[in-house]
């Protein structure tokens, strides 16, 4: 547990204390983060490609990840929808700007899968020549988390403002409860221990982190399963966020999980307007902090 926390929170805290004033350096940080992100996916693919009985393994990964993703989505929508019904959050005005192209967003997700696939080909055809360590993705992860910390520091959002948003705090609590529910159901339907089920449910959409931490602790198969489980959540957001935003904005924001703070924030802003942005930032920020905590805790119990 301490190992998982250290490789996430140490670089995150270091990055958070780095103040950058020049835009070109911030742009460089963004590029470095993207390179690390794709390096993680490529290394996951390399390790996956070198597994024995690859056909059987891929089928198991696909089935398990899809089943987990469905359970997570059903639990998330159910709990968040109930929260929206009992404690409604009304949008005063709708944004007239068109939302980002879903086709473009889907293409970006496809690019993620292709990166893993490319790594898989490299790993498969280099088998017996080059042995890729299953811990290879940890190194770019540390650099990526450092960049995330720098971005958080230079976002201009005070921590007081994040934790003072009552709706964001409430939404975070409901979302975590839905994650606990889905983790228990995953354990039952996938015949896992409760700790393992809760572990897979704790990625909250942050697939680059969940796949790396779980893969580093439990092996490539578990890491790949976590990756596709959380990636499926991210893909679903392209459709569920616009669908729910008009009448159930808290549900729409919550379904973004950890990505409500960054990747899905433009989509949230375009479909819900600026009034939902503070809630989304508060919620996403809190979930981003909780993900490594929960993952490290449950990995330690497995």
């Amino acid at each position: 547990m301490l190992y998982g926390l250290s490789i996430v929170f140490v670089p995150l805290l270091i990055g958070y204390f780095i103040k950058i004033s020049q835009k070109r350096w911030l742009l460089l940080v963004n590029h470095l983060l993207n390179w690390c992100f794709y390096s993680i996916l490529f290394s996951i693919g390399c390790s996956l490609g070198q597994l024995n009985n690859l056909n059987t393994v891929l089928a198991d990964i696909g089935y398990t990840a899809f089943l987990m993703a469905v359970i997570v989505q059903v639990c998330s929508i159910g709990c968040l929808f109930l929260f929206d019904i009992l404690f409604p959050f009304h949008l005063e005005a709708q944004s007239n700007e068109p939302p980002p192209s879903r086709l473009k967003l889907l293409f970006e997700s496809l690019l993620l899968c292709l990166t893993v696939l490319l790594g898989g080909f490299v790993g498969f055809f280099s088998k017996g020549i080059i042995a890729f360590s299953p811990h290879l993705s940890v190194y770019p992860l540390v650099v990526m988390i450092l960049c995330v910390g720098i971005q958080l520091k230079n976002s201009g959002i005070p921590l007081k403002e994040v934790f003072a948003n009552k709706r964001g705090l409430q939404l975070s609590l409901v979302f975590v409860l839905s994650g606990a529910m889905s983790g228990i159901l995953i354990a039952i339907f996938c015949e896992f221990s409760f700790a393992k089920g809760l572990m897979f449910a704790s990625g909250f959409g942050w697939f680059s982190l969940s796949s790396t931490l779980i893969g580093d602790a439990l092996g490539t198969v578990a890491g790949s399963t976590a990756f596709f489980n959380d990636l499926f959540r991210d893909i679903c957001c392209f459709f569920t966020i616009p669908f729910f935003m008009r009448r159930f904005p808290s549900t729409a924001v919550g379904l973004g999980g950890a990505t409500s703070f960054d990747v899905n924030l433009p989509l949230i802003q375009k479909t819900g307007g600026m009034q939902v942005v503070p809630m989304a930032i508060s919620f996403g920020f809190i979930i981003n902090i909780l993900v490594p905590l929960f993952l490290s805790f449950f990995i330690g119990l497995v």
Side-chain angles (χ1 to χ4, degrees):
M1 178 179 175
L2 291 177
Y3 169 73
L5 288 175
S6 64
I7 64 175
V8 174
F9 278 103
V10 170
L12 184 67
L13 289 174
I14 292 174
Y16 192 77
F17 285 103
I18 299 176
K19 179 69 176 177
I20 297 178
S21 56
Q22 296 184 1
K23 289 185 177 180
R24 63 189 182 95
W25 288 109
L26 280 175
L27 187 62
L28 181 62
V29 169
N30 293 336
H31 286 313
L32 181 59
L33 189 149
N34 286 330
W35 276 106
C36 291
F37 179 63
Y38 282 101
S39 297
I40 290 171
L41 301 184
F42 182 77
S43 62
I44 290 173
C46 289
S47 299
L48 189 61
Q50 295 197 332
L51 292 175
N52 296 320
N53 302 318
L54 189 58
N55 292 338
T56 305
V57 170
L58 287 177
D60 290 341
I61 289 174
Y63 171 77
T64 306
F66 180 76
L67 179 59
M68 289 194 299
V70 170
I71 292 172
V72 168
Q73 285 296 307
V74 170
C75 290
S76 297
I77 291 174
C79 291
L80 294 169
F81 183 77
L82 183 62
F83 174 66
D84 248 332
I85 293 292
L86 296 177
F87 307 97
F89 179 85
H90 299 291
L91 296 180
E92 296 177 1
Q94 295 295 319
S95 172
N96 294 322
E97 298 182 62
S101 169
R102 294 180 193 176
L103 187 61
K104 180 182 177 182
L105 295 173
L106 283 173
F107 175 76
E108 291 175 354
S109 295
L110 178 62
L111 188 60
L112 302 180
C113 295
L114 289 176
T115 304
V116 177
L117 185 63
L118 177 62
F121 277 116
V122 172
F124 181 78
F125 289 107
S126 63
K127 194 174 181 179
I129 303 173
I130 303 174
F132 290 97
S133 170
H135 309 290
L136 187 63
S137 58
V138 172
Y139 305 109
L141 174 68
V142 171
V143 180
M144 188 186 78
I145 296 298
L146 176 69
C147 294
V148 170
I150 295 173
Q151 286 183 331
L152 292 176
K153 176 64 176 180
N154 294 275
S155 63
I157 305 168
L159 288 179
K160 288 183 179 179
E161 185 177 319
V162 170
F163 292 104
N165 189 288
K166 184 179 178 181
R167 189 71 178 187
L169 288 169
Q170 293 172 338
L171 187 60
S172 302
L173 177 60
V174 174
F175 182 76
V176 169
L177 290 175
S178 75
M181 184 187 301
S182 62
I184 293 172
L185 291 176
I186 286 172
I188 294 172
F189 283 99
C190 296
E191 299 182 352
F192 294 155
S193 65
F194 284 118
K196 192 172 183 179
L198 290 166
M199 175 193 72
F200 278 115
S202 297
F204 296 153
W206 193 348
F207 48 80
S208 57
L209 180 64
S210 63
S211 60
T212 303
L213 290 183
I214 293 175
D216 186 50
L218 302 179
T220 303
V221 173
S224 300
T225 304
F227 167 75
F228 286 108
N229 170 39
D230 284 317
L231 179 63
F232 183 79
R233 176 201 290 269
D234 200 38
I235 294 174
C236 287
C237 288
F238 307 152
F239 302 94
T240 55
I241 288 176
F243 180 79
F244 284 107
M245 183 61 77
R246 183 175 179 83
R247 296 187 61 187
F248 307 103
S250 298
T251 301
V253 171
L255 288 173
T259 62
S260 295
F261 179 75
D262 42 40
V263 176
N264 281 311
L265 187 59
L267 181 61
I268 290 171
Q269 179 182 341
K270 294 288 186 181
T271 55
M274 285 301 299
Q275 58 192 309
V276 298
V277 170
M279 173 175 64
I281 291 175
S282 174
F283 165 75
F285 193 99
I286 293 169
I287 297 303
N288 270 271
I289 293 175
L290 293 179
V291 169
L293 283 172
F294 286 168
L295 281 174
S296 299
F297 177 74
F298 290 119
I299 286 172
L301 296 179
V302 174

